[in-house]
Amino acid sequence: MEQTVSNGQKKTFFRWILDRHLLANREIIWLLHYLMSNDKLLGVIHIVDEVARVNRSITIACADDDRPIFRYVKTTVETNDPEKAFHDLRMNQEEDVYLELDIEMVRRSPIYFSVLEENPNNIVDVHEKYGTMADYATVEAERNFIADRLNKAINEALDHGDQDQFYLLSKQLNQLRRQQK
């Protein structure tokens, strides 16, 4: 099953990464900003869980690992320099690029699953591999959304001095928290 991810979803995902300061390398940050600003190029970017056996790929890893934090591969040519990748991406905006983000915090977030696509050369279907985790992330995101709405409503009840509403909403929030455990 193939998933189509819009440019808007990809921009939101990259913005989410940048807002959390998950990347320390300035050139990689610039590259993500460039991708966000170029809709044509963003359209050929595919976020996958593994970039094996593709012609053109980018891998961004956590700085804590022993391997390079950035790797760009085009057929048989490989570089760890984001600037060289930028120039190649700028000059060739037609061929698909597969992006793997090997950052633990990213791979555990619900937003990651919303933009994850299948690598056409992988045997294992991404939905088979991550289906349970994606379901869990969806439920968790929904609970967080409800908790945020309840917290805002509780604050409004406090602001308006509505004691009955405060107790009712607090009870609902406590029930939600018990369900999470």
Side-chain angles (χ1 to χ4, degrees):
M1 178 178 12
E2 191 173 314
Q3 178 180 352
T4 303
V5 179
S6 72
N7 285 355
Q9 289 173 293
K10 292 174 194 176
K11 286 178 185 180
T12 301
F13 176 62
F14 290 150
R15 174 62 42 215
W16 180 86
I17 290 171
L18 294 170
D19 287 347
R20 278 154 188 74
H21 305 287
L22 299 176
L23 304 172
N25 183 289
R26 192 175 359 164
E27 287 83 12
I28 296 173
I29 293 169
W30 289 340
L31 183 62
L32 286 185
H33 278 285
Y34 175 68
L35 292 176
M36 289 171 36
S37 70
N38 186 326
D39 281 338
K40 184 176 181 183
L41 184 56
L42 199 56
V44 298
I45 299 290
H46 305 284
I47 299 160
V48 296
D49 67 327
E50 185 181 357
V51 292
R53 299 179 300 280
V54 295
N55 289 335
R56 208 162 147 205
S57 68
I58 298 172
T59 304
I60 300 173
C62 189
D64 301 336
D65 295 341
D66 292 336
R67 56 194 171 154
I69 60 170
F70 183 84
R71 184 171 154 238
Y72 179 74
V73 177
K74 183 176 179 184
T75 315
T76 58
V77 179
E78 182 178 326
T79 182
N80 294 333
D81 184 358
E83 283 190 54
K84 289 180 182 175
F86 163 77
H87 289 295
D88 185 64
L89 291 168
R90 188 174 55 85
M91 298 303 291
N92 180 3
Q93 298 184 14
E94 304 297 326
E95 186 181 349
D96 287 337
V97 180
Y98 294 89
L99 173 63
E100 176 183 348
L101 291 153
D102 201 2
I103 302 169
E104 186 64 29
M105 185 175 173
V106 170
R107 287 185 175 242
R108 288 185 290 135
S109 70
I111 194 169
Y112 172 70
F113 295 107
S114 72
V115 295
L116 189 63
E117 296 181 67
E118 292 182 26
N119 178 334
N121 299 321
N122 273 359
I123 297 167
V124 178
D125 181 71
V126 76
H127 300 290
E128 270 180 46
K129 188 173 181 180
Y130 292 112
T132 305
M133 288 170 47
D135 290 342
Y136 171 77
T138 303
V139 169
E140 202 58 34
E142 184 177 2
R143 281 189 186 144
N144 289 337
F145 176 75
I146 292 168
D148 286 346
R149 288 187 60 182
L150 285 171
N151 279 320
K152 287 177 184 173
I154 287 169
N155 287 336
E156 285 180 23
L158 285 172
D159 290 344
H160 294 97
D162 189 344
Q163 190 175 17
D164 293 334
Q165 185 72 0
F166 168 77
Y167 285 124
L168 176 70
L169 294 169
S170 295
K171 183 179 177 182
Q172 290 175 5
L173 183 60
N174 287 333
Q175 287 174 341
L176 182 69
R177 287 183 177 155
R178 278 194 294 275
Q179 289 174 353
Q180 285 179 310
K181 293 180 182 178

